[in-house]
Amino acid sequence: MPASKTPIYSALAANLAIAITKFIAASVTGSSAMISEGIHSLVDTLNEILLLLGLARSKKPADANRPFGYGKEQYFWAFIVSILIFGVGGGVSFYEGITHLQHPEPIEKPLWNYIVLGIAFCFDGISFITAFKEFNRQRGTQPFWSAVKRSKDPSTFVVLFEDASDLLGLIVAFLGVFLGHQFNNPYFDGAASIIIGLILTAVSVVLARESRSLLMGESIEPQTLQKIVELVERDDAVTSVLQSPSMYLGPEEVIVMLVVDFHDALSTAELNKAIQRIRDAIQQHFPLVKHVFIEPGVPNQPVHAPKHGHPVR
């Protein structure tokens, strides 16, 4: 199901506004956790820009350098975003937390922190709900974690996990400020920054793992691939499908290679017509399959992928 850009734009606007207000509050109060949260929101703003860049570049038409198009640009930039969450967001939060533990400073004017955290929670909450609705629309009846693992659109689950980490980070930052002020102990604030760093690191690991899998190339779902094989084998010219490797080139673009055992009695002209007929049928029934390569094969014989530039298509 095609993804919507609405969650990305919603998260971009929310994170930019929140980052500005957090930095203002941090400069007034001297809160380490608030600085971490401001950096967190600033990194998230950059992340949304990179996701939009990936979406835009993935729509570029195929050319001589990229004959299968630029669909994987989206996967690449999603992977970069996951690294940024860890390297910049998590790293700076750890640094701020440790620095504040080594050189604790009392929080001044905590009311500013509470106001900013409350505003940020509202904006991030709206952004999270928007992303969650979009994710639910795409996953249908699938269980949550199963849908994350099977999703081929990283932009949706990246924004969802970002917003979830935002909300958790805000809760931790609130507790750090509240407990630090309540007990007059600035170490709570530094500890909150470290916990925020741990949250960002955990989210980064999950997103990096999923984005890496997509970037390396995932096959189409087994049930869908089986339906494609059944469709091909119903053709009168086909004896059986010997191999059927496939790979996602983008969230809405799949390449399928079929090694097919055709009836021996077919002439060259009949074979060419059968290949064209099969390719048209697959693309008609499965719009996601943008590229179909069909190679005649013989059972129990080693099969080699067609050389570049010379596939039977």
Side-chain angles (χ1 to χ4, degrees):
M1 186 179 294
S4 169
K5 292 182 181 179
T6 302
I8 303 179
Y9 286 123
S10 175
L12 175 62
N15 286 321
L16 182 59
I18 291 169
I20 294 171
T21 55
K22 284 177 180 176
F23 281 125
I24 293 174
S27 65
V28 173
T29 64
S31 168
S32 172
M34 190 58 66
I35 293 175
S36 296
E37 276 298 301
I39 294 169
H40 181 185
S41 295
L42 195 62
V43 172
D44 283 351
T45 303
L46 176 60
N47 290 345
E48 264 65 77
I49 293 173
L50 292 180
L51 289 176
L52 289 172
L53 174 65
L55 282 169
R57 291 182 63 86
S58 69
K59 302 299 181 183
K60 291 175 61 177
D63 53 34
N65 291 325
R66 297 289 184 272
F68 295 114
Y70 290 79
K72 286 198 173 184
E73 285 271 8
Q74 193 170 346
Y75 298 157
F76 170 77
W77 289 108
F79 184 75
I80 294 299
V81 164
S82 67
I83 299 302
L84 282 175
I85 292 174
F86 169 75
V88 181
V92 172
S93 294
F94 275 119
Y95 175 79
E96 283 292 330
I98 292 173
T99 300
H100 204 71
L101 290 177
Q102 292 175 335
H103 308 286
E105 296 179 4
I107 297 176
E108 300 176 0
K109 302 178 181 178
L111 180 61
W112 277 85
N113 284 334
Y114 297 142
I115 293 173
V116 172
L117 288 172
I119 294 173
F121 196 87
C122 291
F123 278 110
D124 277 331
I126 294 172
S127 180
F128 175 79
I129 292 171
T130 302
F132 192 67
K133 286 182 177 179
E134 173 62 18
F135 183 75
N136 280 341
R137 183 183 73 88
Q138 292 187 46
R139 76 182 176 113
T141 58
Q142 295 181 77
F144 180 85
W145 283 109
S146 176
V148 171
K149 291 180 177 296
R150 296 179 63 183
S151 174
K152 303 303 182 289
D153 177 24
S155 61
T156 301
F157 65 73
V158 166
V159 172
L160 178 64
F161 275 78
E162 271 188 7
D163 288 339
S165 65
D166 286 345
L167 294 175
L168 287 174
L170 289 169
I171 293 172
V172 171
F174 169 79
L175 291 175
V177 172
F178 176 77
L179 294 175
H181 180 66
Q182 193 75 12
F183 295 99
N184 195 27
N185 186 342
Y187 288 106
F188 280 108
D189 193 41
S193 290
I194 293 176
I195 294 173
I196 291 170
L198 290 173
I199 292 172
L200 293 177
T201 300
V203 170
S204 174
V205 169
V206 173
L207 295 180
R209 183 185 63 186
E210 297 303 322
S211 299
R212 172 183 173 272
S213 179
L214 291 169
L215 188 60
M216 293 181 67
E218 291 188 1
S219 173
I220 197 170
E221 288 75 10
Q223 299 89 336
T224 304
L225 191 57
Q226 181 59 34
K227 291 178 181 178
I228 292 175
V229 170
E230 291 172 357
L231 175 64
V232 174
E233 291 182 340
R234 285 199 296 268
D235 191 280
D236 293 336
V238 174
T239 300
S240 63
V241 175
L242 305 177
Q243 291 189 16
S244 54
S246 64
M247 183 174 65
Y248 269 90
L249 300 176
E252 300 172 47
E253 186 174 0
V254 174
I255 179 173
V256 175
M257 175 183 164
L258 299 170
V259 181
V260 180
D261 180 23
F262 290 96
H263 291 297
D264 295 335
L266 293 177
S267 66
T268 301
E270 290 172 331
L271 179 62
N272 289 334
K273 288 181 180 179
I275 289 173
Q276 183 63 44
R277 183 172 62 246
I278 292 169
R279 183 166 66 90
D280 291 343
I282 292 173
Q283 293 181 326
Q284 179 181 355
H285 288 84
F286 303 92
L288 280 176
V289 180
K290 306 299 184 184
H291 309 276
V292 183
F293 294 84
I294 301 174
E295 177 182 346
V298 179
N300 301 322
Q301 293 292 324
V303 178
H304 303 284
K307 293 182 179 179
H308 179 69
H310 302 282
V312 179
R313 191 176 176 193

